[in-house]
């Protein structure tokens, strides 16, 4: 175990980065998912087509490829824009944190698009009609009837999307984000102990995913008290 | 004209030459109907004849395409304020109960009072309990819909409509989704309401209920009102051939 001495704080900061990526990408993933679902449910043919292409493309390509393309693609784009103003500039560095976070949010957001769309369509239309017949406004019906029914439907797949995000964080090490897997690679070059170093990474990720799983289970239990016979 | 005679001489529901299309398909054809305060109307007819469509036009769950629908003096048009005003006057009970699954029974009865009538929470709960007692299930107040039987859920749905103190209640086949042994507990509540003078429009094939409660029975077929008469006349002496065929089918069951 003493091979790990001196690496603990690096792992700790690596884990902090994992947490940061997770929180940022979770917010963006929800945003992309809601926009995608809204577009698919809208009356606009164009919006439907764009959202359809979005889900087909990002559910059908390897995640690591999306991360690489977005990282290098945005670097090339930003460099050529910068060169318009200053031809001396050779290369603009894109922060791997943001390139990676946005990439995995887009990818998992394409799955969330289907989840949110399904949850919207899964709400019992009878509930909505009952609310309207009682004189509730469209907004009141949305807030008090549709959303509470929707999140119960969306929660189980949404839990899986959160697990995907946390695991995809490790992929961002490929573009130089110093999260735990990146730390492990450095430690291996110094110590020559790959198995030990990777096991630590595994334990950290398992810790994160366990917390997520337990949280989803707790929320599900709260939501299900109304749908499971609790006599 | 003073308002007293106004409400007595003016129908609560007035439909004039109402037509309703779903795409090219005409679901309602030239519907003329007047319902006065305290009247109980039963609508029957084969499946797909437009019964649901007719009563759903009354609270604008469906939009009619032409003709006029005037509820308690308010004409239904695109105007949202008018639609809201009509919905405050008209309660509805659905075949499939349509309780809000994520709310307790009490909350199901309180939510619209709080949001639409702006009734304070404590008062809303008080009114909810009053009507739960009226449908004889006050002890279920803090359970969730899924924990109740179908008959109990439908009684809750009636209580929910009553909490809004409507002038009119529409029933769309309220007992069709129920196991036979639960039908009577719901009909009893409806009979009780009728005795109390509630204005009711009921789509139902419960002919015993129609005979004992209805002031008028309406028979619909293919989007038209084919025949309407007092129950004794309607059942014992139907005029139209289509009514006779329908009654034979229903009564032979
Ligand atoms: N939303 C709709 N879109 C298209 N057709 C509909 C819709 N609702 C009802 N219809 C049609 O209108 C006719 C009357 O339906 P409905 O009023 O539900 O009949 P009933 O309640 O008498 O069984 C049926 O032929 C039905 O298929
Ligand atoms: Mg019907």
């Amino acid at each position: 175990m003493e091979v790990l001495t001196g690496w603990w704080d690096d792992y700790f900061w690596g884990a902090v980065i994992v947490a940061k990526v997770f929180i940022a990408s979770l917010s963006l993933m929800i945003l992309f998912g809601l926009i995608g679902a809204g577009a698919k449910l809208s009356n606009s043919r164009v919006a439907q087509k764009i959202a359809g292409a979005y889900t087909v493309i990002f559910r059908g390509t390897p995640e690591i490829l999306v991360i690489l393309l977005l990282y290098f693609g945005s670097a090339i784009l930003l460099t050529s824009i910068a060169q318009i103003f200053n031809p001396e500039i050779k290369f603009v560095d894109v922060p791997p944190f943001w390139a990676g976070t946005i990439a995995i949010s887009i990818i998992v957001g394409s799955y969330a698009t289907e989840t949110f769309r399904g949850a919207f369509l899964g709400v019992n239309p009878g509930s909505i009609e009952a609310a309207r017949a009682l004189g509730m406004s469209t907004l009141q019906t949305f807030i008090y009837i549709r959303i509470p029914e929707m999140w119960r439907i969306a929660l189980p797949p949404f839990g899986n999307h959160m697990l995907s995000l946390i695991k995809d964080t490790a992929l961002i090490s490929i573009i130089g984000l110093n999260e735990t897997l990146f730390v492990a690679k450095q430690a291996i070059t110094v110590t020559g102990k790959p198995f030990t170093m990777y096991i630590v990474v595994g334990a950290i990720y398992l810790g994160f995913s366990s917390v997520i799983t337990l949280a989803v289970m707790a929320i599900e239990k709260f939501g299900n008290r109304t749908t499971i016979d609790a006599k | 004209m003073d308002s007293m005679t106004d409400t007595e001489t003016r129908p609560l529901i007035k439909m004039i030459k109402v037509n309703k299309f779903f795409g090219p398909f005409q679901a309602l054809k030239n519907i003329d109907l007047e319902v006065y305060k305290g009247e109980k109307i039963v609508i029957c007819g084969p499946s797909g004849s437009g019964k649901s469509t007719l009563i759903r036009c009354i609270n604008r769950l469906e939009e009619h395409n032409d003709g006029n629908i005037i509820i308690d003096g308010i004409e239904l048009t695109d105007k949202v304020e008018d639609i809201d005003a009509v919905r405050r006057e008209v309660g509805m009970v659905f075949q499939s109960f349509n309780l809000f699954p994520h709310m307790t029974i009490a909350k199901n009865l309180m939510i619209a009072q709080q949001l639409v009538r702006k009734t304070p929470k404590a008062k809303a709960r008080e009114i909810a309990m009053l009507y739960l007692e009226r449908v004889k299930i006050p002890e279920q107040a803090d359970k969730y819909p899924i924990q109740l039987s179908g008959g109990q859920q439908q009684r809750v749905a009636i209580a929910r409509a009553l909490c809004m103190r409507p002038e009119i209640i529409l029933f769309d086949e309220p007992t069709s989704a129920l196991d036979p042994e639960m039908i009577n507990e719901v009909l009893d509540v409806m009979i009780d309401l009728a005795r109390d003078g509630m204005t009711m429009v009921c789509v139902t094939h419960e002919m015993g209920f129609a005979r004992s409660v209805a002031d008028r029975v309406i028979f619909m077929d293919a989007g038209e009102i084919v025949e309407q008469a007092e129950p004794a006349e309607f059942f014992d002496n139907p005029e139209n051939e289509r009514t006779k065929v329908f009654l034979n089918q229903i009564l032979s069951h």
Side-chain angles (χ1 to χ4, degrees):
Chain A
M1 276 313 242
E2 57 261 41
V3 289
L4 285 164
T5 319
W7 293 104
W8 287 119
D9 58 330
D10 298 272
Y11 276 120
F12 173 78
W13 292 114
V16 169
I17 288 178
V18 172
K20 281 187 184 169
V21 170
F22 177 71
I23 290 165
S25 61
L26 180 61
S27 324
L28 285 175
M29 176 267 271
I30 293 172
L31 184 71
F32 292 143
L34 288 176
I35 293 172
K40 284 207 168 183
L41 292 164
S42 76
N43 292 326
S44 156
R45 277 282 171 83
V46 180
Q48 287 172 10
K49 284 263 158 60
I50 293 173
Y54 168 54
T55 51
V56 167
I57 290 170
F58 289 98
R59 296 201 301 175
T61 43
E63 311 186 352
I64 197 149
L65 188 68
V66 175
I67 294 172
L68 288 169
L69 286 174
L70 197 101
Y71 179 62
F72 291 112
S74 57
I76 292 166
L77 186 72
L78 288 178
T79 304
S80 52
I81 291 171
Q83 281 169 346
I84 298 171
F85 300 102
N86 182 357
E88 301 291 291
I89 290 172
K90 291 282 174 293
F91 193 75
V92 176
D93 238 352
V94 177
F97 179 92
W98 284 111
T101 298
I102 291 171
I104 65 173
S105 312
I106 291 175
I107 296 161
V108 183
S110 68
Y111 291 89
T113 293
E114 295 301 342
T115 298
F116 294 154
R117 177 177 164 273
F120 186 92
L121 296 175
V123 172
N124 174 14
S127 300
I128 305 298
E129 285 200 330
R132 290 176 58 205
L134 285 162
M136 290 167 63
S137 69
T138 311
L139 185 65
Q140 288 170 338
T141 304
F142 193 79
I143 294 172
Y144 293 96
I145 310 300
R146 197 183 281 283
I147 300 257
E149 284 196 43
M150 264 180 75
W151 75 252
R152 286 170 172 77
I153 300 171
L155 188 63
F158 188 76
N160 289 335
H161 301 334
M162 291 200 284
L163 290 177
S164 298
L165 280 181
I166 201 86
K167 289 189 286 183
D168 287 358
T169 309
L171 297 176
I172 308 177
S173 64
I174 198 172
I175 54 173
L177 181 73
N178 48 347
E179 54 68 68
T180 52
L181 190 63
F182 189 85
V183 170
K185 283 178 192 156
Q186 286 180 317
I188 289 160
T189 44
V190 176
T191 62
K193 297 271 189 232
F195 189 74
T196 315
M197 293 301 169
Y198 285 138
I199 276 287
V200 175
V201 178
I204 291 171
Y205 273 102
L206 200 58
F208 276 118
S209 46
S210 304
V211 171
I212 294 171
T213 306
L214 289 174
V216 170
M217 274 166 60
I219 302 171
E220 238 174 287
K221 201 172 161 199
F222 171 80
N224 278 349
R225 78 203 185 288
T226 67
T227 46
I228 288 173
D229 201 337
K231 265 175 212 158
Chain B
M1 203 194 292
D2 76 4
S3 65
M4 190 60 208
T5 46
D6 207 38
T7 51
E8 276 169 11
T9 54
R10 184 180 70 190
L12 271 184
I13 301 173
K14 189 172 175 69
M15 301 177 87
I16 308 163
K17 298 256 169 294
V18 171
N19 289 302
K20 166 71 185 167
F21 294 84
F22 291 109
F25 176 76
Q26 187 164 9
L28 293 180
K29 296 173 190 159
N30 267 321
I31 299 291
D32 283 312
L33 178 67
E34 290 188 352
V35 180
Y36 288 84
K37 193 172 172 60
E39 265 196 304
K40 293 109 192 72
I41 309 294
V42 162
I43 302 177
C44 59
S47 173
S49 57
K51 308 178 298 293
S52 298
T53 307
L54 190 157
I55 66 167
R56 289 161 59 85
C57 282
I58 295 174
N59 64 351
R60 196 74 172 181
L61 287 182
E62 300 289 356
E63 284 173 34
H64 58 290
N65 297 97
D66 50 55
N68 310 78
I69 302 179
I70 301 144
I71 310 298
D72 201 9
I74 304 166
E75 168 140 26
L76 278 171
T77 59
D78 287 336
K79 257 177 88 182
V80 175
E81 306 89 75
D82 288 349
I83 296 172
D84 288 344
V86 164
R87 287 184 180 157
R88 282 195 293 272
E89 299 305 317
V90 182
M92 186 161 198
V93 175
F94 301 86
Q95 179 175 352
S96 48
F97 330 135
N98 294 352
L99 297 180
F100 306 128
H102 59 286
M103 294 179 188
T104 61
I105 298 306
K107 193 69 196 171
N108 261 278
L109 272 63
M110 292 160 66
I111 182 85
Q113 293 188 62
Q114 291 174 268
L115 293 175
V116 179
R117 293 263 188 235
K118 311 289 178 211
T119 312
K121 192 172 178 187
K123 180 72 183 164
R125 168 121 193 154
E126 199 180 299
I127 294 172
M129 292 312 297
L130 187 80
Y131 285 107
L132 279 181
E133 259 156 51
R134 175 130 191 219
V135 301
K136 302 188 179 71
I137 35 176
E139 72 283 358
Q140 311 287 354
D142 296 310
K143 291 195 180 165
Y144 286 91
I146 193 84
Q147 294 170 265
L148 272 57
S149 73
Q152 290 173 324
Q153 288 192 49
Q154 195 59 299
R155 279 143 70 197
V156 171
I158 295 172
R160 178 173 69 178
L162 290 173
C163 280
M164 302 300 284
R165 320 255 169 157
E167 285 286 328
I168 305 159
I169 302 195
L170 312 171
F171 292 86
D172 193 356
E173 304 208 33
T175 58
S176 298
L178 295 176
D179 293 336
E181 72 273 15
M182 293 174 185
I183 290 176
N184 279 330
E185 65 189 64
V186 171
L187 290 179
D188 285 346
V189 170
M190 292 170 65
I191 291 167
D192 185 48
L193 268 184
R195 297 238 164 85
D196 239 37
M198 176 63 75
T199 310
M200 296 163 66
V201 180
C202 314
V203 174
T204 181
H205 291 155
E206 291 298 329
M207 293 304 153
F209 173 83
R211 253 184 207 278
S212 63
V213 170
D215 297 304
R216 242 188 305 156
V217 183
I218 291 176
F219 173 69
M220 286 186 75
D221 191 19
E224 291 173 304
I225 293 182
V226 174
E227 182 162 357
Q228 51 178 317
E230 286 178 13
E233 182 75 8
F234 182 85
F235 289 111
D236 302 332
N237 213 352
E239 283 175 8
N240 191 287
E241 208 46 48
R242 284 190 279 177
T243 316
K244 287 177 194 165
V245 172
F246 176 75
L247 283 176
N248 269 331
Q249 281 170 352
I250 285 269
L251 298 175
S252 65
H253 280 304

